[in-house]
Amino acid sequence: FTAGSCTGAPLDSAKCMLISKRAITATFRRRSSSISESDRRRKAMPAEAPNESAALYTNDSTMAPDTTTPLRQVVLPSSPIKSLKATTANGTAAVPDAVKTALQQGHIKMKNPERALAKIAKMIDGGAEELLVISDFDHTMSRAYDEKGERCWTTHGVFDNAAQMADLAAKCKELSAHFLPIEFDGNMTIEEKIPHMEAWWRQSHDAIVAKGVERAVLEELVLHSNIRLRDNAESLLAHLDAARVPLVMFSAGIGDIISIFLAQRLGAVPANMHIISNMMTYNDKKVVSSFREPLIHTFNKNGKVISKEEVNFFHEMRKRDNVILMGDSMGDLHMDVGVENHREADTLKIAFLNKKDHLLPYYLDGYDIVIVDDQSMDVPRQIMDAITVARK
């Protein structure tokens, strides 16, 4: 209700109140409609699966990427990124032209470019000392597709494709065939899917434990796996480590496979990295004997699965107000919930949309920046370079 609502011809107070009430009601209905639509999208939104079976992604499969669903066109201005500065408590920082140029590429989508740039500007002003990076691993830090367009493996996919353990691979693929359609069922809410996801992960983990996988065999499986880092990911990891920016690898995959892979690829797990994932335990013969609790699946990657040790870690990070979050599914959106004294407005959320263009509207609702079908870390690297060289 504004002062101009009752200007013009004289109106009594009752009529003024009636006009005000109608205006407020109309505004409330418009906002409620918008919120309801966003909530509806997120509740039905699918996310990535833990076990990848190549057979499930063939052109003959019902789970192949949908290329027939009409894509909502997101029309951005021809030059959406203007010269922008953001004023913070520490001063004023401008977004470098290199970052703005990177964000103007055709495969980079933003629903609100000015908001994204304002977040980047604030982070540049804070510098490396105030930055925390939280990233998913499977198909985020790692590639979703190789140069030939073939799907790369996830960490669970190491067992899906374990030729020397044919019975275990068959069991994992059987579970995928049953549960994957449930995960992507647009008629089910996330709350309805969660019990099925818990069953999927537990049954997969139980099968791995029952097989009696030795640590040495696991290392051999990872060495010959088709897990691949994204282009420029290795240099990004080295850059963050050198800049002493903490990196939380928050994964619903298998943490041991992540650490083995990074040690094999990089020589060691970077000192700045903290892995939150499904971790294995071993008996005295170095055979996998169980998986630690709590179970982490696609739809519970948030503060609910943070252990006491991890709570202490995030407590130490409480002065790092600026968070860059990177994921490839809607289930990754809330990985920053465990950060102490943190506001969502201080998180720059970057998504990698891998050959699922029909899901772009959902991703734009949740993420600040959506990188479409790009198997590199080029854009995040540009942003993080700008932040880590900021004055402090």
Side-chain angles (χ1 to χ4, degrees):
F1 178 55
T2 64
S5 299
C6 291
T7 57
L11 296 174
D12 58 33
S13 60
K15 288 184 179 179
C16 261
M17 290 180 65
L18 179 60
I19 293 172
S20 173
K21 183 177 180 181
R22 287 174 176 171
I24 293 172
T25 300
T27 301
F28 177 78
R29 285 175 177 168
R30 287 194 298 271
R31 290 179 179 173
S32 297
S33 175
S34 175
I35 293 171
S36 297
E37 173 64 13
S38 178
D39 287 345
R40 182 193 67 76
R41 284 178 176 172
R42 293 190 185 186
K43 284 183 177 181
M45 180 60 208
E48 287 295 305
N51 298 331
E52 300 297 344
S53 171
L56 291 172
Y57 292 93
T58 63
N59 291 332
D60 296 329
S61 169
T62 57
M63 294 311 299
D66 182 358
T67 57
T68 60
T69 304
L71 174 63
R72 187 187 74 176
Q73 294 298 316
V74 181
V75 181
L76 298 178
S78 56
S79 183
I81 303 174
K82 301 176 181 178
S83 178
L84 179 72
K85 293 185 178 181
T87 303
T88 69
N90 296 325
T92 301
V95 177
D97 289 340
V99 173
K100 290 187 281 188
T101 299
L103 293 177
Q104 285 180 309
Q105 298 176 88
H107 67 288
I108 308 300
K109 309 297 181 182
M110 293 177 285
K111 191 172 185 176
N112 189 332
E114 283 70 31
R115 181 182 64 187
L117 281 171
K119 289 183 178 183
I120 294 171
K122 177 181 179 297
M123 292 181 179
I124 290 173
D125 197 69
E129 291 83 355
E130 295 182 13
L131 180 64
L132 172 66
V133 178
I134 303 176
S135 177
D136 172 51
F137 182 80
D138 289 325
H139 295 172
T140 296
M141 192 60 67
S142 69
R143 293 179 68 117
Y145 294 89
D146 63 19
E147 293 85 353
K148 297 179 181 179
E150 296 179 359
R151 194 172 179 85
C152 293
W153 299 359
T154 63
T155 49
H156 277 94
V158 168
F159 295 106
D160 278 28
N161 297 278
Q164 58 270 60
M165 299 180 183
D167 53 342
L168 176 57
K171 178 63 176 179
C172 290
K173 289 179 180 179
E174 176 188 333
L175 292 171
S176 293
H178 174 72
F179 287 107
L180 191 62
I182 296 174
E183 182 181 6
F184 283 81
D185 189 341
N187 296 317
M188 296 176 67
T189 65
I190 288 177
E191 289 74 18
E192 291 170 334
K193 294 177 182 181
I194 285 176
H196 298 282
M197 298 301 101
E198 291 176 348
W200 185 0
W201 261 257
R202 289 198 185 282
Q203 290 178 42
S204 296
H205 292 174
D206 288 347
I208 294 168
V209 172
K211 185 62 181 177
V213 180
E214 297 178 3
R215 172 77 181 197
V217 173
L218 181 59
E219 291 175 355
E220 190 70 14
L221 290 174
V222 175
L223 182 62
H224 298 288
S225 72
N226 192 28
I227 298 175
R228 303 266 304 278
L229 285 175
R230 285 182 181 269
D231 297 346
N232 225 356
E234 190 170 336
S235 65
L236 174 63
L237 293 174
H239 178 75
L240 291 175
D241 191 22
R244 298 183 181 179
V245 174
L247 168 60
V248 177
M249 199 67 73
F250 201 158
S251 172
I254 300 176
D256 297 72
I257 292 180
I258 294 173
S259 61
I260 291 170
F261 172 80
L262 291 174
Q264 291 175 347
R265 179 63 187 263
L266 308 178
V269 176
N272 67 322
M273 186 180 294
H274 186 86
I275 299 175
I276 301 176
S277 188
N278 294 298
M279 305 301 296
M280 297 169 162
T281 59
Y282 304 85
N283 62 22
D284 55 1
K285 296 181 179 180
K286 296 186 178 180
V287 174
V288 178
S289 57
S290 67
F291 280 79
R292 298 177 189 171
E293 295 291 335
L295 177 74
I296 302 176
H297 58 77
T298 303
F299 296 122
N300 72 343
K301 294 174 71 173
N302 53 50
K304 294 180 180 179
V305 296
I306 302 299
S307 68
K308 182 178 180 180
E309 175 187 350
E310 288 150 358
V311 168
N312 293 336
F313 169 80
F314 280 116
H315 180 69
E316 294 175 3
M317 300 295 108
R318 66 190 182 278
K319 293 184 179 180
R320 292 183 176 269
D321 297 328
N322 299 320
V323 176
I324 292 180
L325 179 152
M326 298 189 294
D328 72 314
S329 79
M330 296 298 286
D332 294 328
L333 271 171
H334 304 295
M335 294 189 295
D336 59 334
V337 169
V339 181
E340 189 175 326
N341 299 325
H342 179 67
R343 301 181 310 154
E344 187 175 3
D346 294 327
T347 299
L348 179 70
K349 299 187 177 184
I350 303 174
F352 292 89
L353 185 56
N354 303 304
K355 292 192 177 182
K356 297 184 180 71
D357 289 356
H358 63 286
L359 301 180
L360 179 60
Y362 299 102
Y363 280 62
L364 287 170
D365 281 345
Y367 287 94
D368 297 298
I369 300 170
V370 181
I371 303 172
V372 181
D373 293 332
D374 179 349
Q375 300 303 311
S376 79
M377 276 286 171
D378 293 347
V379 172
R381 177 66 196 266
Q382 284 276 8
I383 294 171
M384 292 184 209
D385 279 355
I387 296 169
T388 54
V389 299
R391 61 164 182 80
K392 281 301 292 180

